[in-house]
Structures are given as structure tokens and as C-alpha cells.
């Protein structure tokens, strides 16, 4: 499995970098963007993110994520950990279960750099 | 190096799929998006794409890409092949040199699926 647990400063991403069609990316900016894209570039993680993101309040209990994804609980937890470390989700524990919520700014900071118009 | 040379139908991508914040991605759509994101998720490829995309007419000669990237010609060619196979660039041979041009719709189809608003 991909080890990708470096924590990324989302707030820096929010103000950073012109779209790549406007000017060549610096090595540093390209490295940061690549780390985020790697976190997204997995079918199970994209599906998990989309279930969380399209849920009420853009939040979902891990207990509601395992069945639709059809993977084991440890695998789902690993993928959620990668998405959280990359700044796309926050995690909060409430009783038995962990809840994951989308950080929309993290996705926006990626789309801003890839936009063409 | 990543082997990622499956050719992707960009035209299908252009009409496909609601943003992932609107509804859960299907397994098939998540798989397709992940393949594209994997092609982007490399610092050298992002830098190459940004140099091509920010060039005049969004086109650049491979001869002008090697020096700014600071990698060997075969490595640069490999990365360009991955970006071309993923539908982000077209390649045309003119005399000695290959020229690469951005396909903006391929980037737009990715940002459309990741957009939050």
C-alpha cells in the first residue's frame, strides 16, 4: 500500500500558485501538488471521498463507508488516513465511531492549479 | 518507472460524470479518474505539463523541455509518453524533433470532477 502520511499545510495550498497553464510550476510547487494528486489517484479513495463529500454536511461515519466500498475495514481505514494526511478530510471520534468531513478548500486548491480558463 | 500507457478516450471524459461532491462516483468513473490523476501525480510530469501549457500556442518542442526539467532525455520522453497516453498532450513529429501540445479539455475533465462549487 502507498505510504503517504506526510501532513500537508492546506492553508498554504489555498493561497499558493498560479494555474499551471499560466506559468511553469516551480519544483517545490510541483512536488506539493504531486503529493496531493497521489493521495487522490486511487479508485477506492476517490469513491470514499465522493461518498463523504456528497453526504449531508459533507460528513460521514466510517461505519457507513465500509459496505458501499466493499473493502475490509482496515483497508478503508488506511485509505481514509491517506486522505486525512493529505488534507482532504478531517477526522473526529465520537463514541465508537470516527467521522470524516470534507475540507472543500483542499480540493479547490488542487482544481485551481489545474484549471485551464 | 510507472507503466501507465493505456490510451484514454478524452472525448468520453468531457461529457462524463458529475463532480464528486454532488454524488458518489461509480467504480468505473473512479477508476478512470484515478488513471488520469496517476498520470499527473508526479513532480516532473507536472512541471513538463506546465511548461508545455504555458508556452506559446500551448505547444513546446521536446528540445526545449530537457534543460529546464534537469532530467535525461529518455526520462523526459518517458514522462511525456505517460502524459500523452493519458490524453493530456498530443505529439507531432516535425523533422528531428517531437512537439507536444496541451489538450485543455483533458485537464478540464479532471477539474470538473474535483470542483466543489
Amino acid at each position: 500500500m502507498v505510504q503517504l502520511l506526510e501532513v500537508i499545510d492546506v492553508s498554504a495550498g489555498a493561497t499558493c500558485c498560479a494555474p499551471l497553464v499560466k506559468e511553469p510550476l516551480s519544483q517545490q510547487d510541483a512536488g506539493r501538488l504531486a503529493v496531493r494528486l497521489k493521495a487522490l489517484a486511487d479508485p477506492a479513495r476517490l469513491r470514499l471521498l465522493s461518498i463523504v463529500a456528497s453526504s449531508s454536511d459533507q460528513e460521514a461515519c466510517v461505519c457507513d463507508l465500509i459496505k458501499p466500498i466493499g473493502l475490509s475495514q482496515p483497508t478503508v481505514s488506511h485509505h481514509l488516513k491517506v486522505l486525512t494526511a493529505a488534507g482532504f478530510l478531517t477526522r473526529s471520534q465520537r463514541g465508537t465511531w470516527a467521522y470524516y468531513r470534507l475540507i472543500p478548500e483542499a480540493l479547490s486548491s488542487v482544481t485551481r492549479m489545474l484549471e485551464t480558463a
Side-chain angles (χ1 to χ4, degrees), chain A residues 84-108:
Chain A
T84 304
F88 293 109
L89 297 176
T90 56
R91 177 189 189 281
S92 59
Q93 186 78 33
R94 293 184 218 149
T96 310
W97 297 110
Y99 288 75
Y100 290 87
R101 185 188 288 266
L102 180 72
I103 305 178
E105 296 74 20
L107 268 186
S108 314

Side-chain angles (χ1 to χ4, degrees), chain A residues 18-25 112-113 115-117:
Chain A
L20 60 73
V21 301
K22 300 288 180 202
E23 57 184 67
L25 283 176
R112 207 164 27 242
M113 291 184 73
E115 69 193 7
T116 55

Side-chain angles (χ1 to χ4, degrees), chain A residues 6 8 12-13 16-17 24-36 113:
Chain A
E6 182 198 347
I8 296 165
C16 159
C17 315
L25 283 176
S26 71
Q27 201 149 6
Q28 193 179 37
D29 292 340
R32 284 185 188 146
L33 181 56
V35 168
R36 285 201 178 164
M113 291 184 73

Side-chain angles (χ1 to χ4, degrees), chain A residues 27-97:
Chain A
Q27 201 149 6
Q28 193 179 37
D29 292 340
R32 284 185 188 146
L33 181 56
V35 168
R36 285 201 178 164
L37 291 171
K38 259 181 209 148
L40 293 177
D42 177 277
R45 288 203 285 277
L46 286 169
R47 292 182 68 215
L48 283 167
L49 193 69
S50 73
I51 294 171
V52 173
S54 61
S55 296
S56 167
D57 286 333
Q58 302 194 315
E59 187 182 67
C61 172
V62 68
C63 56
D64 293 325
L65 296 172
I66 294 161
K67 199 174 167 194
I69 296 295
L71 296 171
S72 70
Q73 190 268 323
T75 303
V76 168
S77 290
H78 163 77
H79 286 311
L80 289 167
K81 202 167 177 178
V82 173
L83 288 168
T84 304
F88 293 109
L89 297 176
T90 56
R91 177 189 189 281
S92 59
Q93 186 78 33
R94 293 184 218 149
T96 310
W97 297 110

